[in-house]
Amino acid sequence: MRTRSIDIEPLSLALSALGSGQAWLVGGRIRDRLLDRPCLDTDLAVADGAIELARAIARASSGTAVVLDAARDVARVVWPGSPTRSLDIARLTSESIDADLRLRDFTVNAMALPLDAAGIDRLADGGPVLRERLLDPRGGLADLDQGILRLTAARALDDDPLRMLRALRLAAELRFEIDPESAVAIRSRAALASRPAGERQRGELLRLLAADRGAHDIARLDHLGLLEPVLPELAATRGVQQSLPHDRDVYQHCLASLAAVELLQALLARPSTDGDDPPCLRAMSAGGAIEIEPAWQGVIERNRASLLAHASAPGEIDRRLWWRMAALIHDIGKTETQRWDPGRGRFRFLGHDTKGAELIPGMGRRLRFSAQEARFLEGLLRHHLRPLHLAAAGGASARGIHHLFRDAGSIGVDVAFLALADNASKGGVRPDFAGHLAQVTGALFDAWFEHPELTVRPPMPLDGRELMQALALSPGPQVGQLLAQIAEAIAVGELPPGDREAAIALARHQLERR
């Protein structure tokens, strides 16, 4: 039965503008149509005049034409909207479409469909009808049916080493296996993976993390030798031993923490449960076993709507993705801070939170993280131990909550979320500590989402200008410090929130003590 659920407008526009020229639909659009997966990006190969065709399509529609490579005659048409649609058009790199397909990256991407009215109809129909007219010189259909990702030739990796990362990402998204010969070719060239531009590596890495089997896929990245050239900070954690309650090295713990974040996100996405506390959620990952305690599940479920809104707030980064990245690298500072404490008979990692945060700027420059993304990761790594410290002290006090949000801002919410994943990926958590951590994370969520006026941002009885006038102070850091002390006193109940004179008296007392 014919379905028109796919977007064929870009192809219809291209066909109308093509005139007497030849063009073929190529690449992922065909692959995804055969797999019945959504695809908003379309690639065309043309015998000649790719840039001119792109401009003609843009003039005939609401699109914008962008020249990607003038020398190679490659252009893109982009249409506004959410999500954005695009059409890439490139001149053939060989003398024929058949030869051009043989030079592509993977066999499942090396299929083509002639761009004419019959071809567009077949694409819309899909299934057997589409298969009948495909050009498939590298056996892509057979590999597609068997769930195999195979290189068209090993030299494809030499032409563009990013294809090694792309192989992992495509295999993750499609749930395909990389064929053994292709895996050998990737492993033998793994050192080249650091050569592509950082933003290209970043794109593939983030899409790999978004594919919902992050720990498995990062382990496969490591198995193929790609972890060290792409994420050397994480690769350095392999074999870094830890003491109880950890039951695995730092690298395996980071993989398990990523899997725990994915499990928590699945918990966020499912409907609420009623009645008694749910059983402990247990799962196996490439990093080992993970356990989400019932009390932690309750904290997540009670704050589901707020956490989902926080994760996808307009104008912010997509925290759902960056929670995964943060979990994966949250302990990279342990490599350089590992010390054996003979008195306690255990490994210690004093300052690994600070050291990890210090590694983020270099990683961000290499992988072209935005300033906002780098700040997010740096803040999470710097503060990720603080909920654990509060739990170890028996629970979150008003002062502890105020201090965390004073220092971390909105990232304090993400720190609390990450703390659950961090502890779910250890060998076992004492029941009393699990309860304390539930209290801490619940109190942090409640303070930020429900009652920020109590401990996060208490109402101030005066501002900096008024404080300077009352105490004859000059502008400077001292004023901010005094205001912070007033805010803390109000947050912990030591100062009435509306008492201006009491606030000034507190500030005067602090000055006298200096």
Side-chain angles (χ1 to χ4, degrees):
M1 181 176 178
R2 174 174 297 187
T3 174
R4 293 288 181 175
S5 60
I6 67 168
D7 178 21
I8 61 173
E9 182 182 3
L11 296 176
S12 298
L13 288 167
L15 181 59
S16 298
L18 186 62
S20 59
Q22 286 184 293
W24 297 266
L25 177 66
V26 295
R29 185 67 185 270
I30 295 173
R31 177 200 70 221
D32 289 342
R33 183 68 183 112
L34 290 168
L35 294 173
D36 203 22
R37 298 176 72 244
C39 183
L40 293 170
D41 301 327
T42 306
D43 292 278
L44 288 182
V46 295
D48 198 17
I51 294 174
E52 290 80 358
L53 178 60
R55 288 170 174 163
I57 294 170
R59 286 194 298 269
S61 64
S62 58
T64 300
V66 181
V67 176
L68 300 180
D69 190 332
R72 297 185 180 184
D73 195 15
V74 182
R76 173 176 296 162
V77 185
V78 181
W79 287 273
S82 181
T84 303
R85 297 179 301 161
S86 66
L87 172 65
D88 283 8
I89 309 174
R91 186 179 63 209
L92 294 178
T93 57
S94 303
E95 69 279 1
S96 68
I97 183 62
D98 185 82
D100 191 87
L101 292 174
R102 293 176 185 274
L103 295 176
R104 290 183 173 268
D105 50 6
F106 307 106
T107 61
V108 295
N109 291 339
M111 297 178 284
L113 179 70
L115 183 66
D116 53 27
I120 293 176
D121 278 344
R122 287 176 182 269
L123 182 71
D125 288 334
V129 177
L130 173 58
R131 288 167 174 258
E132 290 174 1
R133 203 169 180 227
L134 285 181
L135 306 177
D136 181 21
R138 302 298 292 171
L141 273 174
D143 285 342
L144 199 73
D145 292 339
Q146 296 177 53
I148 293 174
L149 193 71
R150 187 191 313 273
L151 288 164
T152 56
R155 72 171 187 284
L157 304 180
D158 300 318
D159 295 339
D160 185 359
L162 188 74
R163 286 168 171 165
M164 291 185 279
L165 283 179
R166 187 174 297 149
L168 268 295
R169 186 263 298 170
L170 270 175
E173 290 180 343
L174 301 176
R175 300 294 177 94
F176 278 19
E177 291 299 322
I178 298 173
D179 89 288
E181 288 187 14
S182 298
V184 169
I186 291 171
R187 198 175 294 113
S188 68
R189 294 165 172 80
L192 303 178
S194 62
R195 292 187 179 180
E199 57 269 22
R200 300 181 73 210
Q201 295 182 49
R202 170 190 185 277
E204 295 295 341
L205 182 60
L206 292 181
R207 287 185 66 175
L208 186 70
L209 288 177
D212 286 330
R213 292 194 307 173
H216 169 83
D217 295 325
I218 295 297
R220 183 155 60 169
L221 191 81
D222 189 18
H223 177 69
L224 291 176
L226 299 173
L227 185 64
E228 192 151 5
V230 176
L231 279 177
E233 299 87 353
L234 179 63
T237 65
R238 290 188 304 242
V240 178
Q241 292 180 279
Q242 305 186 96
S243 299
L244 294 175
H246 289 281
D247 63 344
R248 61 206 81 178
D249 69 14
V250 176
Y251 172 64
Q252 295 294 329
H253 168 65
C254 287
L255 290 184
S257 296
L258 169 57
V261 163
E262 293 173 342
L263 194 56
L264 287 170
Q265 288 180 322
L267 184 63
L268 271 178
R270 77 184 191 188
S272 299
T273 57
D274 297 321
D276 297 334
D277 285 342
C280 181
L281 281 178
R282 292 183 174 88
M284 289 299 298
S285 75
I290 51 177
E291 296 186 357
I292 310 296
E293 297 288 340
W296 302 350
Q297 294 180 58
V299 171
I300 293 297
E301 291 187 345
R302 287 193 298 274
N303 292 276
R304 174 179 282 108
S306 297
L307 283 168
L308 289 173
H310 175 79
S312 57
E316 298 278 345
I317 62 174
D318 184 350
R319 281 174 156 89
R320 290 164 296 191
L321 178 57
W322 289 93
W323 283 340
R324 300 183 181 195
M325 176 65 83
L328 181 63
I329 64 172
H330 76 281
D331 272 348
I332 55 175
K334 285 186 172 180
T335 303
E336 297 186 36
T337 58
Q338 183 199 50
R339 300 290 184 272
W340 175 255
D341 185 338
R344 300 190 181 193
R346 59 186 293 109
F347 288 107
R348 303 190 73 190
F349 303 89
L350 297 178
H352 80 268
D353 45 353
T354 300
K355 183 61 184 178
E358 291 172 352
L359 293 174
I360 294 302
M363 180 189 293
R365 286 190 295 271
R366 188 180 72 247
L367 293 174
R368 300 296 191 271
F369 294 158
S370 71
Q372 188 181 28
E373 292 161 355
R375 281 196 305 271
F376 181 76
L377 290 177
E378 187 174 350
L380 267 170
L381 268 62
R382 188 176 301 281
H383 299 296
H384 79 271
L385 292 178
R386 294 178 68 166
L388 281 62
H389 292 160
L390 292 173
S397 64
R399 194 179 304 276
I401 293 171
H402 178 76
H403 283 180
L404 197 156
F405 285 116
R406 177 198 65 192
D407 298 339
S410 65
I411 290 177
V413 172
D414 309 284
V415 166
F417 186 87
L418 181 61
L420 297 178
D422 188 359
N423 281 271
S425 51
K426 297 176 181 176
V429 178
R430 297 192 322 268
D432 59 332
F433 183 85
H436 292 327
L437 186 59
Q439 185 273 330
V440 168
T441 52
L444 290 170
F445 291 152
D446 185 69
W448 184 265
F449 293 133
E450 303 298 332
H451 303 290
E453 75 286 354
L454 297 181
T455 52
V456 177
R457 293 181 296 273
M460 296 289 285
L462 76 172
D463 58 22
R465 179 182 57 80
E466 293 170 321
L467 185 61
M468 287 189 291
Q469 289 178 346
L471 299 179
L473 298 175
S474 300
Q478 185 181 58
V479 177
Q481 294 166 4
L482 291 172
L483 288 172
Q485 289 171 327
I486 292 170
E488 179 178 336
I490 296 172
V492 302
E494 295 174 351
L495 194 69
D499 194 332
R500 185 176 183 276
E501 294 307 315
I504 293 172
L506 174 64
R508 183 179 291 111
H509 176 68
Q510 293 297 328
L511 287 173
E512 291 171 352
R513 293 178 57 190
R514 297 183 180 184

